[in-house]
Amino acid sequence: DNEIYINQNIVLKNKDKTLIEKFLKQKEEGIPLDYILNSSKFYEYEFFVDSRVLIPRPETEIIVDYVNNHFSSPINVLDAGTGSGCIGISIALQNPSYKVYGSDCSEDAVDVAFTNKINLDVKNFSPILANWLSCFNTKCFDLIVSNPPYIAKGDSHLEKLVHEPNIALVSKEDGLFCIKKIVEQSTKALKSGGTLIIEHGYQQQDDVEEIFKKNKFSRVINLKDLQLLPRITIGTLEK
Ligand code: GLN
């Protein structure tokens, strides 16, 4: 609070002093503000976050915008690798007639997603512990969205991301392993004519497009992020 700086006469209670000291220490260690405050803003909502999940990124909101503008009738949606639940929960809150599921292979992440489901009172969102799409029936989703780990091992971007879980960031095969898994498994879990939306690295557009096409996705398009870098690939499963 600014008062503390302006009013030199304020005597801090011990409890507040401890809190401020703890905050400053965490800042000094480089811990991201969202983790310190256990709160992250995504779309119009406030999500609980801690170091067990990735901090939601503004570019990921583009996925939610796209879904809001391109679908209407009640549909079944999967957010694969849901983490905090930010994508799936935002889609669910924006579209109460949709049934949305959020899968994650990390028990910790499912726990956080569940906390957010409760905090934001999201009736039509269910977090599920699962390795990508392995546990779902064939042809059960109209739409699958994902912001998977896509950074290659040893990539220099990781130097700035030391406080976030590695499992949410890094993927084998130059960052493409998880994307391949999701695209391959989506050919079974999606209804024919269903849509797949995946976020990826700005240098992965061509590789991801190729993976989509190899797996019988057509009408493949790419959306740019806020810095106008290619960031999201969308395709339709051929009938
Ligand atoms: N879906 C979550 C997000 O977009 C988590 C993504 C992840 O852990 N890779 O923030």
Side-chain angles (χ1 to χ4, degrees):
D1 192 277
N2 278 341
E3 273 288 295
I4 296 168
Y5 296 103
I6 298 162
N7 189 343
Q8 304 278 332
N9 299 324
I10 287 183
V11 181
L12 284 174
K13 292 195 199 97
N14 261 340
K15 195 176 96 218
D16 294 337
K17 202 171 153 219
T18 316
L19 265 179
I20 291 169
E21 277 168 2
K22 191 175 159 211
F23 176 84
L24 292 175
K25 189 167 164 273
Q26 287 177 310
K27 276 305 282 172
E28 218 167 281
E29 285 166 13
I31 297 176
L33 192 62
D34 291 27
Y35 284 157
I36 301 179
L37 302 176
N38 287 130
S39 170
S40 195
K41 197 141 180 290
F42 183 83
Y43 222 71
E44 300 164 5
Y45 312 108
E46 202 142 320
F47 287 85
F48 170 88
V49 291
D50 61 22
S51 60
R52 295 175 293 169
V53 293
L54 194 82
I55 295 171
R57 303 294 202 269
E59 57 263 28
T60 307
E61 295 178 335
I62 295 168
I63 297 180
V64 183
D65 273 333
Y66 184 88
V67 172
N68 285 348
N69 294 326
H70 289 84
F71 300 86
S72 49
S73 52
I75 52 173
N76 283 341
V77 185
L78 173 69
D79 173 14
T82 198
S84 62
C86 62
I87 307 175
I89 287 177
S90 300
I91 291 174
L93 287 169
Q94 294 279 311
N95 304 280
S97 70
Y98 295 6
K99 271 202 187 113
V100 187
Y101 300 84
S103 71
D104 209 292
C105 66
S106 147
E107 250 176 86
D108 279 343
V110 171
D111 198 47
V112 175
F114 190 75
T115 301
N116 282 315
K117 169 188 164 69
I118 301 297
N119 287 355
L120 292 161
D121 193 21
V122 202
K123 306 243 172 357
N124 55 331
F125 173 82
S126 316
I128 292 172
L129 183 66
N131 198 356
W132 298 123
L133 322 186
S134 53
C135 74
F136 297 103
N137 285 334
T138 51
K139 298 190 191 300
C140 62
F141 294 110
D142 303 277
L143 169 65
I144 295 173
V145 299
S146 184
N147 174 24
Y150 54 71
I151 303 178
K153 225 176 140 192
D155 188 297
S156 61
H157 290 93
L158 293 169
E159 288 159 23
K160 290 197 198 113
L161 303 170
V162 289
H163 295 282
E164 291 179 276
N166 222 261
I167 185 180
L169 294 165
V170 179
S171 179
K172 292 185 277 189
E173 297 181 21
D174 287 335
L176 291 167
F177 180 79
C178 294
I179 292 177
K180 278 184 200 158
K181 271 257 150 347
I182 296 163
V183 178
E184 281 164 17
Q185 295 184 1
S186 288
T187 62
K188 299 197 178 72
L190 272 177
K191 297 177 187 172
S192 60
T195 305
L196 175 62
I197 305 180
I198 296 189
E199 182 173 329
H200 50 76
Y202 63 91
Q203 289 159 322
Q204 293 171 330
Q205 177 183 11
D206 293 344
D207 289 324
V208 175
E209 184 178 329
E210 201 185 307
I211 297 167
F212 269 60
K213 290 188 169 158
K214 242 194 218 158
N215 285 282
K216 301 214 162 24
F217 282 89
S218 57
R219 288 195 275 153
V220 179
I221 60 161
N222 188 277
L223 304 182
K224 294 193 169 32
D225 66 15
L226 309 167
Q227 298 172 67
L228 302 178
L229 298 168
R231 183 66 65 184
I232 293 161
T233 293
I234 303 174
T236 307
L237 186 63
E238 287 169 12
K239 297 196 180 187

